Amino acid sequence: MLVSVIIPAYNEEQTIRQVLENVQALPLEKQIIVVNDGSTDKTYAILEELRNDENLTIVHCQENRGKGFAIRSGIPSVKGNLVVIQDADMELSPNDILPLVEPLKNKEVEVVYGSRFLNGRGNASIHNYIANRILAMYTNLLYGCRITDESTGYKAFSSDLIKELNLTCEGFEFCPEVTAKILRAGYQIHEVPVSYFPRTKKEGKKLRFLSDGLFAAWTLLKYRFISKSKIFKNTT
């Protein structure tokens, strides 16, 4: 199977080379799609240097619009059977892409999340762990599912499914929107454990736990009651 790896990147000059090298080294057939989300550092220049690398597709956004917009901008370039979302900051190890896509070889599985907390707290701070566990329990309560990490950066889908979802996200609400619409459509989310190496705000972390967490909760609630006819594109 051809795996399309979408990497949204905003001001990731410190880690973008390492991420790409690690993904390129994976023993699988792959297409790498990097979406530069209007970076103002050296990310643009680094990607241009690598443009001729094998299996690499580069999409440049003229301005910073957010993670959700960047992911949506990468989807039209997908050629693979499977799609993996890979962050550009090395908080998640690209080596975990292999176990992430393994369940998708079963045609009955359409969605796999790489959970940072399936086997406990790991390297997460206690505040990070508690906040994410609350959000996961909230998701389970709303949608009647059983997941441990709603906001994980590692999400994998069949390409047919992710291409057909009617996504409107701009920023970090990609995670709750795609989760809500998948669950609302009746799909099951499978989880596999992944490693997690969190970085600090000084190191470039962009997620704001309080404001982004509250927005995620609101997004999950909003889409809980969306008409199923609005979940997918070209439906009435």
Side-chain angles (χ1 to χ4, degrees), residues 3 28 82-84 96-105 112 156:
V3 179
L28 49 76
L82 310 177
V83 175
V84 172
D96 285 327
I97 288 178
L98 298 177
L100 188 70
V101 301
E102 186 66 28
L104 288 164
K105 295 178 181 178
V112 180

Side-chain angles (χ1 to χ4, degrees), residues 130-150 176 179-180 183 213-225:
I130 291 174
N132 278 285
R133 292 298 295 128
I134 290 173
L135 190 60
M137 289 188 288
Y138 176 74
T139 305
N140 294 339
L141 180 64
L142 279 178
Y143 291 91
C145 58
R146 296 181 65 182
I147 61 176
T148 61
D149 192 2
E150 183 278 329
T179 299
L183 292 172
L214 291 174
F215 193 34
W218 160 244
T219 303
L220 287 162
L221 179 62
K222 177 177 65 174
Y223 288 122
R224 174 62 181 86
F225 304 103

Side-chain angles (χ1 to χ4, degrees), residues 1-7 23 28-34 55 57 74-86 97 101 155-159 162-163:
M1 286 188 174
L2 176 63
V3 179
S4 294
V5 183
I6 299 178
I7 306 176
V23 176
L28 49 76
E29 188 179 0
K30 55 195 169 292
Q31 172 200 17
I32 304 172
I33 304 167
V34 184
N55 304 326
T57 299
I75 291 174
S77 298
V78 165
K79 298 177 181 178
N81 311 93
L82 310 177
V83 175
V84 172
I85 309 301
Q86 163 75 55
I97 288 178
V101 301
K155 293 176 167 64
F157 315 87
S158 69
S159 60
I162 193 66
K163 285 179 178 180

Side-chain angles (χ1 to χ4, degrees), residues 51-66:
R51 180 173 284 279
N52 294 325
D53 281 13
E54 183 181 6
N55 304 326
L56 181 60
T57 299
I58 297 173
V59 178
H60 288 299
C61 299
Q62 292 185 346
E63 60 181 339
N64 176 236
R65 294 280 296 273

